[in-house]
Amino acid sequence: MAYTVGQVARAARVTVRTLHHYDEIGLLSPSGRTPAGYRRYSEADLERLQVIRAYRELGFPLEEIAEILDDPGGDPLPHLRRQHEMLTGRIGKLREMVAAIELAMEARALNIQLTPEERFEVFGDFDPDAHAEETERRWGGTEAYRQSSERVGRYGKEDWLRNKAENADWGRRLAELMASGAPADSPEAMVLAEEHRQLITRWFYDCTYEIHTGLADMYVSDPRFTVYFEKIRPGMAAYLNEAIHANAINRA
């Protein structure tokens, strides 16, 4: 069966212009033409287009895709390894940005007294004031909000870097505990849950057990928080939620 360029474009979710370009550079030339010169694509052409799209999703340039597809004896593995390294690096950068976002959210992102250069060093490409309006709307009338705003306003770059390091160390130890197989309501897990509560109290506001369990529920209900803990170790958000509730019950 032969397909028109319009049919192929709709089926593959590409533009007609893209297909014309692929034809012009020899990446995907239709197997046939009508007497009037219109392109006709075969099933084999569609299969080739599917492979092209897969490589494009991985970020391969068109020249490399042509090289891979047109060399029957070629080995695509070196190309894939190189692209794997590039994607892994990109994922690492995204994870760093997510960590910066979550740090800023927990800090309430309010009244941070840093120069533009220091902000970039601490938070990367993320703007720590991005959630200030939402934060004030949700918690503006609370004592925790007042305390957090007052404390954060006094912090300089070294304070934020120390906070970042303390949270990273705590996260590493919680991940190690999870890897050991200790249950979330174990004494060791509750110790780390209590340490987490004290970190918040020391850096931002007096975090009562009631507030802490509320935060724990937000860690699993709000994707913006969940992704931060899942980045450290899959399943951490739910594990920490259970540990915080167990610790609150144990300390009651």
Side-chain angles (χ1 to χ4, degrees), residues 14 22 27 46-84 86-87 90:
V14 297
Y22 287 175
L27 180 60
L46 294 183
E47 291 178 4
R48 182 180 175 95
L49 178 58
Q50 185 177 19
V51 175
I52 292 170
R53 289 195 61 210
Y55 277 116
R56 288 296 286 164
E57 287 292 329
L58 290 174
F60 279 77
L62 297 179
E63 294 79 6
E64 284 195 23
I65 297 175
E67 180 183 340
I68 294 170
L69 296 182
D70 295 335
D71 183 2
D75 183 3
L77 189 57
H79 299 278
L80 291 170
R81 282 176 175 162
R82 183 168 67 256
Q83 198 62 24
H84 179 271
M86 293 174 60
L87 290 171
R90 193 180 306 166

Side-chain angles (χ1 to χ4, degrees), residues 217-239:
D217 292 339
M218 189 165 61
Y219 293 159
V220 294
S221 64
D222 189 328
R224 294 173 298 181
F225 285 95
T226 304
V227 71
Y228 169 74
F229 294 108
E230 295 301 294
K231 174 192 70 68
I232 301 174
R233 182 180 174 85
M236 180 175 284
Y239 186 92

Side-chain angles (χ1 to χ4, degrees), residues 1-4 7-9 11-12 19 28 31 41-53:
M1 182 174 179
Y3 301 89
T4 67
Q7 289 174 322
V8 174
L19 293 175
L28 177 65
S31 298
Y41 293 84
S42 66
E43 295 287 348
D45 295 333
L46 294 183
E47 291 178 4
R48 182 180 175 95
L49 178 58
Q50 185 177 19
V51 175
I52 292 170
R53 289 195 61 210

Side-chain angles (χ1 to χ4, degrees), residues 147 197-198 200-201 205-212 215:
Q147 287 183 0
R197 187 185 70 86
Q198 292 176 7
I200 297 173
T201 296
Y205 53 86
D206 295 337
C207 184
T208 64
Y209 290 104
E210 181 181 3
I211 292 176
H212 202 210
L215 288 173

Side-chain angles (χ1 to χ4, degrees), residues 104 107-114 119 123 128-133 135-136 145-156 160:
R108 297 295 187 260
L110 298 171
N111 199 23
I112 298 174
Q113 302 300 311
L114 298 177
R119 279 175 175 247
F123 297 107
D129 292 326
H131 299 280
E133 183 178 344
T135 300
E136 185 172 4
Y145 179 95
R146 186 197 64 76
Q147 287 183 0
S148 180
S149 181
E150 180 180 324
R151 294 182 191 180
V152 168
R154 296 195 300 264
Y155 293 159
W160 285 111

Side-chain angles (χ1 to χ4, degrees), residues 137-172:
R137 185 174 65 253
R138 295 177 65 178
W139 296 290
T142 65
E143 175 63 15
Y145 179 95
R146 186 197 64 76
Q147 287 183 0
S148 180
S149 181
E150 180 180 324
R151 294 182 191 180
V152 168
R154 296 195 300 264
Y155 293 159
K157 182 186 73 171
E158 296 306 319
D159 297 304
W160 285 111
L161 291 176
R162 187 164 63 253
N163 170 270
K164 194 174 182 179
E166 288 184 9
N167 277 280
D169 176 68
W170 171 85
R172 176 187 56 77

